[in-house]
Amino acid sequence: MNLDKDLKEKFQKIDHRGYLAYKEIKGTYQFKNYIFVIEHVQGDPFASPSQVKIIVNNKNTKIPNKYFDRNHRRIAVQDYLLRKLEILTLKNSFKIKGSGKSGLISVSHCGPEILERSACQICSKNGDVMIRMEIGFPANGRTINAKGLEIIVFEILPEMINTTVAYKNINKEELDNVIQLADNQFFIRNYLKKEELVAFIADGSVLPRESGISSKPLKNAVKFKTPESMKIKIGLPDGSTICGMGIKRGVTLVVGGGYHGKSTLLESFEKGVYDHIAGDGREYVFTDITAVKVRSEDGRGIAGIDISMFINNLPNKKDTIFFETENASGSTSQAANIIEAIEADCKVLLIDEDTSATNFMIRDKLMQLVVTEDKEPITPYIDRIRDLYEIYGISSILVVGSSGEYFDKADSIIQMDEYRAYDITENVKELSTKYKKFEKEKSDKTSFIKEMIFNRTILPYKEWCKEQIKIKVNNIDCLRINKDDIDTRYLEQLVDKEQLRAIGYIIVYINKHIFENKNNLQNLINKAYKELEVNGFDRILEDKFIPCNLAMPRKQEIFMCMNRFRNIRVIK
Ligand code: ADP
Ligand code: MG
């Protein structure tokens, strides 16, 4: 292996030469306290920055075992270290000046969710810490400023790395709090599974956010308080007890007046599939990790999915068992979103009337008289919601403030009133029995009993089998792979663009391996995801280097991206 002094020599050789000479320093170098790898060298000062990797042996960090031997602790500690490192990068970035991105030093910017990220990884076996970051190799115009890079690599970085990962420099109290929270979160998630609960919100949680574009907690918010009848107490590993609202499997309805906090409650369930950092307000809010927010999304493309549970007898005899369209309507898109979520292993559907197609949710009695059943292709969600739970085991949490029709279908009903939750299940049942006396029973639609089989066979997409693959992600609204865009605006549970970038690589990987499998979309994604969980990003990237800006997505979002790719070809 090259030594650090070899790199210094190379710096001398390339100083003041044209920018391309930077390519000569690509490689691996043994520094005093770590291995330093230059994995990618940018083509010019304005291109995407260069990428480096630093591997610090556990002998040097001296981080004790207990901080990384269990998965949930390891991920939480990685997240903590990365946040500390980010603060240092902000201090040190652009200390060296020059053209374009000269002097930039950057790592991931973490939001409130705790995610596995390629930027900081601790090996669960030996505790070695791997840091990946971006550096803008400095230049004046297009002339190499190797002295500048020398300062970054030999002065700034060692100091940053030492401050971040050497155990003696880490704030022990903070680090212990991090693993304590991680232990509690891990414990509560397991508890929910055991007790067949789909969600939990601890008393004192802060659900609303500062604004529509901020993920910070709202100041002076009304803190969450559990209705007495829904209260559960959980004894935690650290000896303390936590109280909160547990939501059982089945159908849960959230009602209440406009602006009383219904959507805010549902949004916290959407994000409850992730663990949150201390101080977020939602660190003790949990939802079944497979939960999917489904909404209407007119205009999306749909490729060969069976929506006959909800849609039948379309005009022009359009097939709804193998439904295809380039331009879905509100109701067909919502139906497809539900079926696709189930294909992606979702066990809890989260639905808000604000983002639903009205005719998909409900059809009132008068309308049923005017537009007869044979003229209406849609079987609304209300007529399937019990079957979904009783036959397929899929729970629903839904916000419906505008119609009482759903009351009969619900196992529990929560009313939001001035941001407080009340359990009104019993009162409503009483009221609705009285009300029903005046109503003629409506004939229930026949129950939908059909085995749900998912065997969509897909064809590989030639464009993505090429050697050159470019994945571009500017925000969480769009994933571009070479020349194809996937519209991800409505993936409301995607929280980080690093997740989206990772999905890009996963999709390309899947596409390349289509022939090795039976080409069943569900199998392909499940297999790739397993691979990712067991081997990290390595296998997915194959022989390419792992970029510093990947975060672990959920499996559900991978399905959603695949389903929104307009050139996906599903064989009939
Ligand atoms: P709904 O869906 O019932 O119409 P929202 O959930 O959209 O209501 O909430 C309306 C407003 O109230 C939002 O601006 C939200 O940020 C705010 N809000 C929600 N929950 C709280 C709370 N617990 N404390 C203070 N403000 C809240
Ligand atoms: Mg709302």
Side-chain angles (χ1 to χ4, degrees), residues 208-209 218 221-222 257-264 354 419:
R209 299 296 98 187
L218 177 71
V222 177
Y259 220 71
H260 279 257
K262 304 182 298 296
S263 296
T264 304
D354 291 357
Y419 314 128

Side-chain angles (χ1 to χ4, degrees), residues 323-342:
F323 186 69
E324 282 181 307
T325 180
E326 286 291 327
N327 188 5
S329 66
S331 55
T332 50
S333 64
Q334 195 160 0
N337 284 350
I338 289 178
I339 303 296
E340 287 170 354
I342 298 171

Side-chain angles (χ1 to χ4, degrees), residues 15 25 54 112 129 141-142 154 197 213 218 233 253 308 324 351 367 374 384 390 396 412 438 454 491 507 553 560:
D15 202 15
I25 62 171
I54 290 155
V129 179
R142 290 180 196 280
F154 286 91
L197 296 166
I213 50 161
L218 177 71
K233 279 188 186 158
L253 204 59
S308 63
E324 282 181 307
I351 298 180
M367 191 55 85
D374 54 316
R384 293 290 182 239
E390 277 149 30
S396 299
S412 54
F438 301 102
F454 294 103
L491 275 52
I507 291 181
M560 289 189 217

Side-chain angles (χ1 to χ4, degrees), residues 114 177-189 192 199-207 209 224 226 234 236-238 240-246 268-269 271-272 274-287:
I114 300 167
N177 287 340
V178 162
I179 59 165
Q180 191 178 55
L181 176 60
D183 281 353
N184 289 346
Q185 291 173 329
F186 182 71
F187 182 86
I188 297 172
R189 285 200 189 275
L192 298 189
F200 176 81
I201 302 185
D203 278 344
S205 295
V206 175
L207 308 185
R209 299 296 98 187
F224 189 80
T226 309
I234 310 175
L236 297 178
D238 63 8
S240 65
T241 307
I242 195 163
C243 280
M245 178 173 84
S268 54
F269 288 135
K271 300 290 154 54
Y274 301 109
D275 287 337
H276 291 87
I277 54 168
D280 171 72
R282 299 168 298 180
E283 55 268 49
Y284 287 109
V285 177
F286 305 96
T287 314

Side-chain angles (χ1 to χ4, degrees), residues 23-38:
K23 299 273 179 201
E24 291 170 24
I25 62 171
K26 198 170 152 181
T28 305
Y29 305 88
Q30 179 69 58
F31 276 51
K32 189 167 146 252
N33 291 322
Y34 51 75
I35 295 169
F36 181 67
V37 190
I38 299 173

Side-chain angles (χ1 to χ4, degrees), residues 24 63 97 109 217 220 238 290 340 378 446 508 522 531:
E24 291 170 24
I63 297 176
K97 309 258 181 293
H109 173 66
N220 305 322
D238 63 8
T290 69
E340 287 170 354
I378 304 170
T446 43
V508 168
Q522 200 185 37
E531 197 81 75

Side-chain angles (χ1 to χ4, degrees), residues 412-425:
S412 54
I413 305 164
I414 300 167
Q415 179 177 358
M416 293 307 288
D417 184 8
E418 300 191 359
Y419 314 128
R420 296 225 182 276
Y422 297 90
D423 179 3
I424 57 164
T425 316

